[in-house]
Amino acid sequence: LPSVPVRDRRTHAIACRRLITPAAIEGFVDIALRDALDAPAAGRVLRWIGLDGAEVILARIMESEATGPRRVLYEILGGMPDAFPLVLPYLSRGRWHEVRHAAEVLGRMGNPDAIEPLKRKLADPDERVRVAVVSALAEFPMGEVADGLRIALASPSAKTRSAAAEAIGRRRALAFAMPLLGLLAQERDAEAWRAEARALGVLQTPDAMSGLVKVA
């Protein structure tokens, strides 16, 4: 495209996109999955292709319960804001692993229209979904999701509490220092206790530090 006169670039780009077959799009997704060095370039091409590329990426993400190998696809799709209407429905209508994938992608997209649907999934019966939702909510402005993180901190599930503490530490959400101290004092799960203590250490407010000194 840089070699095409500016006035003709849009028409030329449309013509190029029409030449890219579904099989070729699948090929770009394969490159992104198997080669970390070429993944950024494949991602740029897939974003340029647009919604046709987004549909293929989304289908590839949703076909498996595994998350690890697909995180590169989360990042690519998360950088395609026009794909938001394709991803959001999975949050309410998908199987558990589809909901988890959707939450991961929506967190990366950063569209505020996802916040309330994500908060509603904090009550999902599947712990793996709740953990992904907490992580996704932490990607948004803290003022808009603080109530959701408080709900997660009060969860009867230790893994959900751990996820909330980790998210608070990652975002350095200083307003949560006192709630975390109160939770730490009564926490009975070792994994959750460690996550809460680590988060307090990251926050480093005077209250957090004095509380940790008392614990020590």
Side-chain angles (χ1 to χ4, degrees):
L1 287 176
S3 64
V4 176
V6 174
R7 66 180 182 276
D8 298 329
R9 283 183 187 173
R10 184 174 181 276
T11 302
H12 192 75
I14 291 170
C16 285
R17 287 188 182 96
R18 287 173 178 165
L19 293 173
I20 299 175
T21 65
I25 297 173
E26 292 278 0
F28 287 122
V29 173
D30 288 338
I31 290 171
L33 282 170
R34 72 170 179 256
D35 194 324
L37 291 177
D38 286 334
R44 287 194 295 273
V45 174
L46 288 162
R47 291 189 187 105
W48 176 78
I49 290 170
L51 288 179
D52 287 344
E55 288 178 348
V56 174
I57 296 170
L58 189 59
R60 189 68 70 88
I61 289 173
M62 296 302 177
E63 70 186 10
S64 170
E65 296 180 1
T67 57
R70 284 163 171 71
R71 291 197 181 277
V72 65
L73 300 185
Y74 292 166
E75 298 298 335
I76 295 171
L77 194 56
M80 302 174 75
D82 289 348
F84 179 79
L86 301 179
V87 180
L88 186 62
Y90 281 97
L91 204 59
S92 58
R93 299 199 297 268
R95 293 170 289 176
W96 75 264
H97 70 276
E98 293 172 336
V99 178
R100 182 178 65 179
H101 291 317
E104 294 272 9
V105 174
L106 291 168
R108 287 162 172 78
M109 284 184 166
N111 188 323
D113 289 342
I115 293 175
E116 290 306 318
L118 282 167
K119 287 179 182 177
R120 289 194 288 271
K121 297 307 291 184
L122 287 169
D124 194 276
D126 195 297
E127 188 174 73
R128 295 163 293 188
V129 169
R130 295 195 302 271
V131 168
V133 166
V134 169
S135 179
L137 284 171
E139 298 299 321
F140 292 89
M142 193 53 56
E144 299 178 28
V145 299
D147 57 338
L149 292 179
R150 288 191 186 95
I151 291 171
L153 276 179
S155 171
S157 162
K159 286 192 178 298
T160 303
R161 296 196 300 274
S162 296
E166 289 168 3
I168 289 165
R170 188 169 71 249
R171 288 298 309 276
R172 294 184 63 86
L174 302 184
F176 280 91
M178 291 303 292
L180 277 172
L181 276 172
L183 186 60
L184 189 70
Q186 60 187 14
E187 183 61 68
R188 295 296 177 263
D189 181 85
E191 180 183 347
W193 191 95
R194 285 193 294 270
E196 291 151 15
R198 283 195 299 268
L200 285 164
V202 171
L203 297 184
Q204 295 186 11
T205 65
D207 288 335
M209 293 297 96
S210 63
L212 286 177
V213 168
K214 289 178 182 177
V215 171

